[in-house]
């Protein structure tokens, strides 16, 4: 393949990664924004989403589409409830102290991961995509008769990958509208601005925290369900995903949803492109160093506003 | 320093020395390993326990020592002593560079920056697989594992060298935290603004603490490579940074003997649980959660409530 089509292919792969990443990082960003705590177990909720999708589809045994729709509903709900329970039993009792919360969620990470290993096992298992037709993509070429379209060999994507991108766009737009216009969104934003004042105005802050923590985990689980037909479910899949969403949230500015989406596109695309042309390990080294340096020299993130 | 302090710490040193002739072979090996790992934990404790710098990247200093020693022994055919100093130097240098950058941040940002640096270091080990042998790691050549006529791989010398390193580090950190420098570190941990107001250059002291901490960790990693003969990327992974935190938290942050207590306890706990299940990290997770919930001061911290002037 020539350079041009190859680049387009890399961009497409990058866009799928960016979509999933944006969804997952929005969850992390939401939790940090409202509760001011970093949830290190976020990657494990993503993994649980993927594993739950496998469990639902293999137990239900209906058609591929019905199976997948069921997984899209059940997995995020179950994971969200689990996370809310963890918030009420553990994080609430730590009074959301930032450092102790990180240590406790590290513990939670290992508990979830290892329990999955004990029950689900160490194998990677696939989920069948609800639809998966191959779509060949054209490329322009200067031929003898001027510009002409042709279909280079290997340049293609699948309908499911396009669906993932569209689904992520729809979900994130929905989340933004929800936060900006609904009453629940208003309450969350009020809690984010000033928890004590919100309490004074009768906002049940503890319940809001539990719901936000659950919703953040559900977003990660949703990302896990969407990715599992492309990439199999495995008990260790949360680690890389956590690292990437950390990177996205930090570069985008902690707690800023717009920044998170922009950063997800930036990181997803560049990761896709660097991985195709160079090595995935090099892409990750560059990304982690960039994050560390952004935090050191521009703590508000590339797109975040200065702290009030 | 009170006489009770001395008798406690020197008593512990003497007890570990005597155990060399008492322990059965298996536990003899375990305690040798635990002492070296406890040195790593003590290094971590200087940063986390005494200065309040919660780093999530200390595995990189341990691994810098390990790889510094291992690579010099493997590629340059250096002897044990120069190789150990190469590892120590690598760790000190890395701690200085990462410290200069990471200490511009504090709190949660500091945790994430150190985590990211350590992750980049780990990935770097995988990326330069031609030199480092990547994921597989490598065995340290036997020629580098002897000093004069003594083979460091033999059980007896291995135990005694681990014991010597442990004893020197413990007495060293005990002295350090009792010295004026250490007192200022504790002041920074308790209230950095106030320490600065009193006229202390807190930035430089934190850097000093981190370099000492990284150096001790690297010394442990370098010794581990020589005594146990294996250098591998898994020691640079997030898991080992978490282990250091876990050992110190469990034993009691900011106590001199806490790291040994925590390492010993956790090592046997994991060792016993591997007989039952492969998912031994489950234990680590549960212990972490329980500690943050019920015992933020760890085992020695709980003891300290009874015995008030335990250092």
């Amino acid at each position: 393949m020539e350079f041009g089509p190859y680049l387009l292919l890399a961009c497409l792969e990058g866009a799928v990664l960016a979509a999933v990443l944006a969804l997952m990082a929005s969850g992390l960003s939401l939790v940090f924004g409202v509760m001011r705590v970093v949830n290190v177990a976020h990657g494990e909720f993503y993994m649980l989403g993927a594993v739950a999708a496998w469990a639902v589809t293999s137990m239900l045994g209906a058609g591929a589409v019905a199976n997948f729709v069921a997984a899209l509903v059940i997995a995020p709900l179950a994971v969200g409830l689990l996370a809310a329970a963890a918030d009420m039993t553990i994080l609430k009792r730590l009074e959301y102290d930032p450092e102790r919360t990180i240590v406790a969620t590290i513990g939670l990470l290992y508990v979830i991961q290892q329990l999955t290993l004990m029950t689900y096992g160490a194998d990677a298992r696939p989920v069948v995509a609800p639809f998966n037709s191959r779509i060949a993509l054209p490329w322009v070429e200067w031929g003898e008769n001027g510009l002409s379209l042709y279909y280079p060999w290997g340049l293609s994507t699948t309908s499911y990958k396009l669906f993932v991108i569209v689904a992520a766009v729809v979900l994130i737009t929905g989340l933004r509208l929800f936060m900006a216009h609904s009453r629940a969104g208003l309450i969350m934003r009020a809690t984010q601005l000033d928890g004590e004042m919100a309490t004074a105005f009768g906002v049940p802050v503890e319940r809001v925290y539990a719901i936000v923590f659950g919703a953040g985990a559900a977003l990660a689980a949703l990302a896990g369900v969407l990715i599992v037909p492309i990439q199999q479910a495995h008990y260790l899949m949360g680690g890389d995903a956590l690292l990437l969403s950390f990177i996205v949230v930090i570069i985008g500015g902690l707690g800023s949803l717009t920044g998170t989406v922009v950063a997800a596109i930036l990181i997803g695309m560049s990761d896709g492109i660097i991985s195709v042309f160079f090595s995935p390990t090099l892409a990750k080294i560059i990304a982690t160093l960039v994050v560390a340096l952004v935090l050191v020299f521009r703590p508000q993130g590339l797109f975040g506003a200065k702290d009030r | 320093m009170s006489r009770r302090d001395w008798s406690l710490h020197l008593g512990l040193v003497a007890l570990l020395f005597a155990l060399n002739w008492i322990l059965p072979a298996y536990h003899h090996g375990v305690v040798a390993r635990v002492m070296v790992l406890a040195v790593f934990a003590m290094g971590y404790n200087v940063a986390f326990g005494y200065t309040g710098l919660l780093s999530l990247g200390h595995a990189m200093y341990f691994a810098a020592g390990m790889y510094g020693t291992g690579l010099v022994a493997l590629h340059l055919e250096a002897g044990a002593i120069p190789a150990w100093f190469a590892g120590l130097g690598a760790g000190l240098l890395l701690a200085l560079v990462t410290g200069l950058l990471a200490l511009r941040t504090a709190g949660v940002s500091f945790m994430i920056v150190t985590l990211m640096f350590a992750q980049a270091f780990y990935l770097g080990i995988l990326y330069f697989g031609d030199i480092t042998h990547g994921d597989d790691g490598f065995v340290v050549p036997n020629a580098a594992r002897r000093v004069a006529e003594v083979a460091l791989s033999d059980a007896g010398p291995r135990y005694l060298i681990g014991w010597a390193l442990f004893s020197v580090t413990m007495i060293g950190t005990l002295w350090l935290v009792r010295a004026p420098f250490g007192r200022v570190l504790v002041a920074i941990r308790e209230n950095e603004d106030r320490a600065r107001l009193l006229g202390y250059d807190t930035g430089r002291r934190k850097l000093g603490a981190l370099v000492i901490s990284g150096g001790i960790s690297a010394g442990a990693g370098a010794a581990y490579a020589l005594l146990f003969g294996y250098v591998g990327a898994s020691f640079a992974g997030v898991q080992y940074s978490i282990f250091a935190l876990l050992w110190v938290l469990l034993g009691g942050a900011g106590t001199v003997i806490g790291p040994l207590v925590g390492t010993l306890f956790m090592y046997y706990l994991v060792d016993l649980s591997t007989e039952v299940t492969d998912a031994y990290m489950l234990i680590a997770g549960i212990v972490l959660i329980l500690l943050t919930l019920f015992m933020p001061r760890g085992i020695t911290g709980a003891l300290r409530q009874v015995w008030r002037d335990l250092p």
Side-chain angles (χ1 to χ4, degrees):
Chain A
M1 233 190 305
E2 288 165 61
F3 180 76
Y6 208 47
L7 185 67
L8 180 65
L9 189 68
C11 287
L12 273 170
E13 292 300 310
V16 175
L17 179 64
V20 174
L21 211 50
L23 208 54
M24 186 173 165
S26 300
L28 195 62
S29 182
L30 178 72
V31 170
F32 182 82
V34 176
M35 301 164 65
R36 298 278 140 187
V37 296
V38 176
N39 174 17
V40 186
H42 199 65
E44 302 316 304
F45 293 133
Y46 166 80
M47 178 273 288
L48 277 184
V51 169
W54 173 83
V56 169
T57 49
S58 57
M59 268 191 274
L60 208 59
V65 177
N67 272 344
F68 193 73
V69 172
L72 267 181
V73 176
I74 296 173
L77 260 179
V79 173
L81 285 176
L82 180 79
D87 172 79
M88 287 188 285
T89 48
I90 303 169
L91 301 193
K92 193 175 108 183
R93 301 182 55 173
L94 299 177
E95 291 163 353
Y96 303 100
D97 175 86
E99 295 190 346
R100 284 170 73 197
T101 302
I102 291 190
V103 177
T105 50
I106 291 172
L108 194 60
L109 179 164
Y110 283 119
V111 170
I112 295 176
Q113 184 195 80
Q114 300 291 315
L115 283 176
T116 311
L117 172 63
M118 287 166 81
T119 50
Y120 170 84
D123 302 329
R125 291 172 213 206
V127 167
V128 182
F131 39 81
N132 208 9
S133 48
R134 185 176 164 279
I135 302 171
L137 294 169
W139 186 253
V140 285
E141 186 184 45
W142 267 114
E144 287 158 13
N145 317 319
L147 272 180
S148 64
L149 282 177
Y150 79 112
Y151 291 87
W153 183 86
L155 179 61
S156 68
T157 185
T158 64
S159 54
Y160 183 74
K161 285 184 180 172
L162 295 180
F163 164 75
V164 170
I165 298 171
V166 174
V169 171
V170 169
L171 284 165
I172 290 170
T173 317
L175 179 67
R176 286 212 60 149
L177 291 175
F178 175 77
M179 288 300 280
H181 297 293
S182 76
R183 192 176 152 72
L186 182 70
I187 289 177
M188 285 184 200
R189 281 182 293 131
T191 316
Q192 171 172 1
L193 281 176
D194 192 335
E196 272 179 41
M197 196 54 106
T199 316
F201 276 87
V203 172
V205 170
E206 280 185 358
R207 209 185 311 156
V208 172
Y209 278 0
I211 291 170
V212 166
F213 199 75
L219 280 170
L222 208 50
V225 178
L226 285 174
I227 199 72
V228 76
I230 302 173
Q231 185 194 326
Q232 303 181 340
H234 186 258
Y235 83 103
L236 286 177
M237 71 193 286
D240 272 355
L242 174 74
L243 194 68
L244 279 172
S245 36
F246 254 152
I247 292 171
V248 163
V249 169
I250 287 163
I251 290 191
L254 280 164
S256 143
L257 201 56
T258 319
T260 303
V261 173
V262 176
I265 296 169
L266 196 76
I267 294 291
M269 298 297 264
S270 53
D271 193 83
I273 292 168
I274 299 176
S275 306
V276 167
F277 288 105
F278 302 100
S279 100
T281 316
L282 186 64
K284 273 189 233 151
I285 294 177
I286 293 172
T288 42
L289 284 179
V290 166
V291 164
L293 296 178
V294 163
L295 265 178
V296 169
F297 293 107
R298 215 184 134 76
Q300 71 273 32
L302 290 185
F303 306 99
K306 277 236 186 280
D307 242 3
R308 275 153 306 195
Chain B
M1 213 180 305
S2 74
R3 271 183 52 200
R4 252 192 345 186
D5 288 357
W6 276 113
S7 52
L8 171 75
H9 292 97
L10 292 180
L12 183 64
V13 166
L15 174 71
L16 287 169
F17 186 67
L19 282 177
N20 182 32
W21 289 277
I22 299 167
L23 284 175
Y26 176 73
H27 296 281
H28 187 264
V30 168
V31 174
R33 204 174 286 255
V34 164
M35 284 190 296
V36 176
L37 292 174
V39 172
F40 174 33
M42 284 192 283
Y44 185 74
N45 195 24
V46 170
F48 169 57
Y50 285 103
T51 322
L53 297 168
L54 211 172
S55 145
L56 289 180
H58 258 58
M60 93 178 128
Y61 305 132
F62 186 75
M66 188 174 235
Y67 274 90
T69 297
L71 291 177
V72 165
L74 185 69
H75 295 294
L76 305 178
E77 289 163 13
I81 293 173
W84 187 81
F85 278 101
L88 181 69
L92 286 170
L93 187 69
L94 185 68
L96 182 69
V97 174
T98 52
L100 277 172
L101 290 167
L103 284 172
R104 294 172 60 116
T105 62
V108 170
S109 297
F110 181 78
M111 297 167 84
I112 298 175
V113 170
T114 48
L115 181 69
M116 291 297 167
F117 277 143
Q119 189 67 17
F121 187 82
Y122 168 70
L123 292 168
I125 291 174
L126 299 187
Y127 186 68
F128 295 103
D130 296 343
I131 308 168
T132 62
H133 297 260
D135 233 352
D136 301 333
F138 58 89
V139 173
V140 179
N142 264 326
R145 296 181 62 197
R146 33 193 332 120
V147 176
E149 291 304 301
V150 184
L152 303 183
S153 46
D154 288 350
R158 185 162 74 182
Y159 187 96
L160 289 176
I161 289 173
W163 169 82
L165 186 69
F166 172 80
S167 307
V168 168
T169 315
M170 190 177 74
I171 303 297
T173 42
L174 185 61
W175 171 80
L176 179 80
V177 301
R178 289 297 162 95
F181 180 77
R183 302 270 183 190
V184 178
L185 295 186
V186 174
I188 292 174
R189 177 188 73 194
E190 294 301 323
N191 191 331
E192 189 177 344
D193 290 335
R194 220 173 269 179
R196 201 181 303 127
L197 204 65
L198 287 171
Y200 292 112
D201 184 347
T202 55
R204 272 179 55 188
R205 277 164 219 261
K206 284 201 289 188
L207 184 62
L210 195 66
V211 170
I212 292 170
S213 166
I216 296 174
S217 307
Y224 199 95
L226 291 173
L227 297 179
F228 301 98
Y230 172 69
V231 172
S234 61
F235 290 101
V238 190
Q239 196 166 318
Y240 267 80
S241 296
I242 304 294
F243 270 146
L245 171 69
L246 182 61
W247 294 331
V248 171
L249 265 181
L250 181 63
T255 62
V256 174
I257 61 166
L260 177 73
V261 176
T263 313
L264 194 65
F265 189 85
M266 206 55 220
Y267 197 96
Y268 272 105
L269 201 61
V270 166
D271 200 46
L272 290 176
S273 62
T274 41
E275 286 168 17
V276 190
T277 165
D278 289 338
Y280 64 92
M281 281 304 286
L282 178 65
I283 309 289
I286 293 172
V287 171
L288 266 180
I289 293 178
L290 291 180
L291 274 173
T292 43
L293 278 179
F294 301 111
M295 225 162 64
R297 285 170 220 287
I299 295 172
T300 341
L303 277 179
R304 206 184 241 174
Q305 290 180 337
V306 187
W307 183 5
R308 298 204 52 201
D309 41 28
L310 184 77

